[in-house]
Amino acid sequence: MVEAKYFIEEIINADLESGKVKKVFTRFPPEPNGYLHIGHAKSLCINFGIKSKYKGKCNLRFDDTNPSKEDTEYVESIKRDIKWLGFKWDKLLFASDYFDVMFECAVKLIKKGLAYVSDETAEEIRQRRGTLTEPGIESPNRNRSVEENLKLFYEMRDGVYPDGSKVLRAKIDMASPNLNMRDPVIYRVLHATHHNTGDKWCIYPMYDFAHPIEDAHEGITHSICTLEFEDHRPLYDWVVRECEFPNPLPQQIEFARLNITNTIMSKRYLKKLVDEGKVLGWDDPRMPTLSGLRRRGIPPEALRDFCERIGVSKANSEVEESYLHACVRDNLNRSANRVMAVFDPLKVVLTNYDGSEELTVEDNPNAEELTYRSVPFSREIYIDRSDFALVPPPKYYRLKPDGYVRLKGAYIIHCDEAVCDDCGEVVELHCSVVPNSKSGEDSSGVKVKGVIQWVDAKTCVDVTVRKLQSLLTDVVDGVTDFNERFNENSLLEVTAKVERSLLKAKKEDRFQFMRVGYYVLDKDSKGRKLVFNEIVGLKDSFNTTK
Ligand code: ATP
Ligand code: MG
C-alpha cells in the first residue's frame, strides 16, 4: 500500500484495503465553455496524480450536457492544455454521448415511482421549495401515475411541449433538511441544437442527474470535485443507487478549490475580458488560463510543483501569487539559460580596445551539463544606466568615476571619464579595459566586487519587452467589483537591447536576462523583431553579483 499524502488518498487506501475498489479510476470533467485556468490545473494534478500513483486510469470527459454555450474551440484548447501540462488521459469522452443512457435512467426512475413530470414553472418550483427551516410544499403533480408520467415524459422527448412548460423531477423528500433533495429537477425541455447531438434531443438532463450517471457509466471509482458540491453528494448517491448501477458505485469526494490573490478564475469573467478586447485573447500572458500561463513562460513542471506544494485540503483558502512565482523561479533558475540584456542603455567606449572578439560564455551555471555560447565583444558596448553612478552612495560596487567593474564574461573595465551633456546628464562613458583581466584567465590583480551585464553595440538587437502585472488592482477602499478593478497598466511595452545570440531563440524559449528577471520569447516575434514577455523578476534584483 502506498502512503497517503492527503485525505483523498486516505479514502482511496481504505477502499483498496477493504476490497471495495480493485482499480482506481478518476476523471477530469471540464465543461467546454471556456479555456482551462490554473484552478483546473489543481484538479488535473489531483486526478492524474492519483492515476499515476495508483496505476489506475483517468478519463477526460467533456461535460457538454448543456447545449447552449459550448464550442469546439474550447474542446481543442482543453486537450492542448492538458497535454502541455504533461498528462495523458485514458479515454476521451463526451457526456452528450450518454444522453440515451440518461434517458433510460430517467425512465427507470419513473417506472420505480421515483420521478414525475411536473407542469410547474421554474418560479413555482422555487416558491414551493421551502427554506432551511421550513419544509417544501409538494407539487400538485407529485402523485401522477407511472403510466401518465411515462406518457408525458415521452411527449417531452418528442417535442410536444415548449421550453419551460414541463420538467421531470425526482421524487425524493420535500421535507429533507437538504434542499437539493426536495424533488430536484432532473430533466428540462429545451429546444436547442447541441454541438454533438444536433437536433436529436429537445430535453436535456440537469447537471446533478447527468454527472453521477456519467461517472457510474464509465466505472469511475472516485469522483473528485470542489467543495461547493458537498451538499449535492446525497443526491449524487441517490442517483447512482436508484438507477441501479453495478458496484463499486462511484463516490464523490470534495476538496477546496484553488484561489489565488488578485486572480479571477471564473470562466465567465475571463470570457468577458476576451470578448471586450481588454486582453490579447484567452492566451494573453496576463490571463490565469493555462494557455496564458504557457505564453507567459511558466514551465508546466513549475505549475505541477506549485499544485503539489500547496497540497489538497478541505478548507477554502487563498494562495499568494508570489508562491507560484517562487516555484517558477526555482524551476527557471535550474532550466533557463542566462543571457544579457540592457533596458536603459548607456554607451561605453573602450578607448584602449580596438577590433573585436568572440567571447565564450557559459549558458547556465546550474545546468547539469554545461553549455556555452559565443558573445561578440568590441570597442563600443552598452551597459545599463542604473549600473553607473556619477555620485555613488557608500558601498557602491558598480561603475563610478575612477572605479572598476567586471563586465560579465568579459573584462574588468576602469571608468576614465563620464561625458555629460549641457544639462549635466551622462551621455557616454569612456573606459579602459584592464590588461589581462579576461574572465576565466584573470591575472590582472585588480579586485572588483561588482559584475554587470552589457551588450555589444554593433551586434546587439533591439527588442520589445512586455512587463506584466496582475489584471486586477488591489482592493482599495472596499472596492471588490472585478470590473472596477481592471488594471489598465497591466501590460507595459518597453524596449531593450539584447545580445545577438537571442536571434536564434525559438518561441516559448525561456531565458534569464541576467540580474533582471526571466523572459520568454512570444509568438508575436517576427524575424529580427523579437517580443519577450516577462515571466517573473529575480528574487533579489539588487544583488549586483548575480
Ligand atoms: P468556472 O467556475 O471557472 O467556470 P467550473 O468549475 O465551472 O469553473 P469546470 O469546467 O466545470 O469548471 O471544471 C472542471 C473541473 O475542474 C471540475 O472538477 C472543477 O471542480 C475543477 N475546478 C474548477 N475550478 C477549480 C479551482 N479553482 N480549483 C480546483 N479545481 C477547480
Ligand atoms: Mg462548471
Side-chain angles (χ1 to χ4, degrees):
M1 188 70 45
V2 284
E3 198 196 329
K5 275 200 310 250
Y6 55 95
F7 73 97
I8 300 178
E9 295 187 350
E10 278 166 15
I11 296 172
I12 293 174
N13 280 353
D15 288 346
L16 288 167
E17 243 160 74
S18 72
K20 178 184 162 199
V21 167
K22 300 264 177 314
K23 197 171 171 81
V24 180
F25 210 150
T26 58
R27 87 285 173 262
F28 179 70
E31 194 179 337
N33 60 349
Y35 279 53
L36 296 182
H37 53 61
I38 187 166
H40 294 114
K42 177 161 180 179
S43 176
L44 282 162
C45 287
I46 295 173
N47 283 297
F48 283 94
I50 287 171
K51 165 190 152 120
S52 72
K53 180 162 179 171
Y54 292 93
K55 305 200 170 30
K57 290 189 172 181
C58 181
N59 288 345
L60 168 59
R61 183 209 306 142
F62 287 101
D63 223 322
D64 61 348
T65 49
N66 186 354
S68 44
K69 324 175 271 200
E70 287 131 12
D71 197 317
T72 43
E73 178 198 346
Y74 299 139
V75 169
E76 290 312 311
S77 77
I78 290 169
K79 292 198 293 197
R80 199 167 52 232
D81 290 343
I82 296 174
K83 282 189 206 155
W84 172 74
L85 201 53
F87 296 125
K88 257 174 96 174
W89 53 84
D90 287 276
K91 285 194 185 142
L92 172 69
L93 302 158
F94 289 84
S96 56
D97 288 336
Y98 309 157
F99 281 158
D100 287 304
V101 177
M102 292 166 194
F103 184 80
E104 287 314 317
C105 284
V107 169
K108 177 176 257 173
L109 292 182
I110 294 173
K111 287 183 177 163
K112 288 171 82 175
L114 293 175
Y116 60 94
V117 173
S118 157
D119 311 333
E120 295 155 290
T121 62
E123 187 50 36
E124 283 164 342
I125 292 176
R126 202 173 310 124
Q127 277 170 5
R128 291 179 182 141
R129 208 169 162 219
T131 63
L132 287 173
T133 50
E134 277 172 52
I137 301 165
E138 290 190 359
S139 159
N141 308 123
R142 198 169 198 262
N143 295 314
R144 275 180 167 150
S145 68
V146 169
E147 291 69 34
E148 191 184 1
N149 280 321
L150 278 178
K151 176 175 159 288
L152 290 171
F153 189 51
Y154 287 136
E155 285 175 355
M156 278 167 67
R157 177 197 59 185
D158 295 338
V160 173
Y161 303 110
D163 290 1
S165 60
K166 291 221 174 351
V167 290
L168 184 71
R169 296 180 70 175
K171 192 172 180 177
I172 310 180
D173 179 5
M174 286 306 289
S176 170
N178 184 333
L179 295 175
N180 294 302
M181 298 298 271
R182 293 186 186 171
D183 292 10
V185 172
I186 58 177
Y187 255 99
R188 62 190 161 141
V189 178
L190 187 64
H191 292 264
T193 304
H194 188 280
H195 77 102
N196 185 21
T197 55
D199 291 324
K200 178 174 174 195
W201 296 94
C202 62
I203 55 169
Y204 290 95
M206 305 303 286
Y207 180 88
D208 278 344
F209 180 62
H211 204 89
I213 293 174
E214 294 156 23
D215 285 342
H217 183 73
E218 279 172 33
I220 302 304
T221 54
H222 299 86
S223 174
I224 298 162
C225 64
T226 43
L227 227 44
E228 63 277 18
F229 290 99
E230 198 169 16
D231 288 347
H232 299 234
R233 189 176 352 124
L235 179 53
Y236 182 101
D237 291 341
W238 185 91
V239 171
V240 291
R241 192 175 64 240
E242 296 301 346
C243 292
E244 298 172 23
F245 280 98
N247 283 326
L249 291 177
Q251 69 167 306
Q252 176 182 304
I253 307 171
E254 310 87 16
F255 69 97
R257 63 168 52 226
L258 170 64
N259 295 306
I260 300 181
T261 48
N262 281 358
T263 308
I264 313 167
M265 287 184 225
S266 135
K267 280 186 259 182
R268 243 181 66 217
Y269 179 78
L270 297 176
K271 183 168 185 321
K272 191 162 169 260
L273 292 179
V274 175
D275 291 345
E276 289 177 0
K278 293 220 177 205
V279 291
L280 305 173
W282 282 99
D283 69 348
D284 184 297
R286 291 164 294 174
M287 292 276 271
T289 52
L290 298 189
S291 301
L293 293 168
R294 174 182 185 165
R295 192 165 170 195
R296 172 83 178 244
I298 307 283
E301 299 81 12
L303 205 48
R304 295 203 305 264
D305 180 34
F306 169 70
C307 291
E308 170 105 32
R309 287 203 225 172
I310 54 175
V312 181
S313 96
K314 252 190 157 344
N316 275 318
S317 64
E318 202 172 60
V319 180
E320 289 288 330
E321 200 182 10
S322 58
Y323 201 72
L324 170 64
H325 292 171
C327 295
V328 172
R329 268 191 211 102
D330 218 45
N331 179 292
L332 294 176
N333 187 31
R334 276 177 278 120
S335 64
N337 282 350
R338 275 62 171 160
V339 291
M340 292 193 280
V342 168
F343 281 75
D344 188 4
L346 174 61
K347 185 176 257 188
V348 175
V349 181
L350 302 169
T351 50
N352 65 343
Y353 188 93
D354 284 315
S356 63
E357 67 182 294
E358 292 285 333
L359 302 167
T360 302
V361 180
E362 198 174 71
D363 285 324
N364 180 358
N366 297 330
E368 277 173 22
E369 223 170 289
L370 293 183
T371 53
Y372 298 87
R373 69 186 185 287
S374 169
V375 178
F377 181 80
S378 64
R379 184 180 169 84
E380 290 186 357
I381 60 169
Y382 291 106
I383 65 169
D384 205 278
R385 192 167 280 276
S386 64
D387 284 330
F388 175 79
L390 201 52
V391 186
K395 292 205 174 166
Y396 187 80
Y397 297 131
R398 290 166 280 165
L399 201 56
K400 56 191 173 192
D402 200 23
Y404 292 95
V405 81
R406 171 168 294 284
L407 299 175
K408 178 75 192 174
Y411 297 90
I412 298 173
I413 58 171
H414 176 263
C415 179
D416 305 319
E417 187 192 357
V419 183
C420 296
D421 64 12
D422 295 344
C423 308
E425 171 116 17
V426 180
V427 288
E428 191 171 293
L429 301 178
H430 291 170
C431 297
S432 44
V433 171
V434 174
N436 305 317
S437 67
K438 192 168 177 175
S439 271
E441 48 197 78
D442 182 2
S443 59
S444 66
V446 176
K447 292 273 164 280
V448 289
K449 281 197 171 151
V451 183
I452 63 172
Q453 77 276 25
W454 54 276
V455 293
D456 176 52
K458 227 188 305 179
T459 56
C460 68
V461 186
D462 288 323
V463 301
T464 301
V465 179
R466 296 183 182 135
K467 299 200 154 217
L468 306 169
Q469 281 179 13
S470 174
L471 283 169
L472 280 191
T473 57
D474 288 338
V475 175
V476 181
D477 299 335
V479 176
T480 50
D481 184 347
F482 295 154
N483 300 302
E484 289 175 44
R485 287 173 61 201
F486 184 78
N487 182 0
E488 299 290 345
N489 297 320
S490 47
L491 191 155
L492 293 179
E493 286 197 344
V494 299
T495 55
K497 293 182 183 294
V498 303
E499 62 174 72
R500 182 194 60 189
S501 73
L502 283 167
L503 284 173
K504 284 197 235 140
K506 294 193 288 295
K507 314 263 150 86
E508 294 189 20
D509 279 353
R510 310 174 187 101
F511 300 92
Q512 185 193 97
F513 287 3
M514 264 188 278
R515 299 177 61 234
V516 186
Y518 293 100
Y519 295 81
V520 63
L521 189 68
D522 190 77
K523 65 175 186 187
D524 286 344
S525 304
K526 283 190 189 69
R528 285 181 68 91
K529 285 209 163 75
L530 303 182
V531 180
F532 289 91
N533 300 324
E534 183 179 65
I535 309 173
V536 277
L538 291 180
K539 194 182 281 171
D540 185 0
S541 53
F542 295 105
N543 185 344
T544 53
T545 55
K546 259 202 181 129

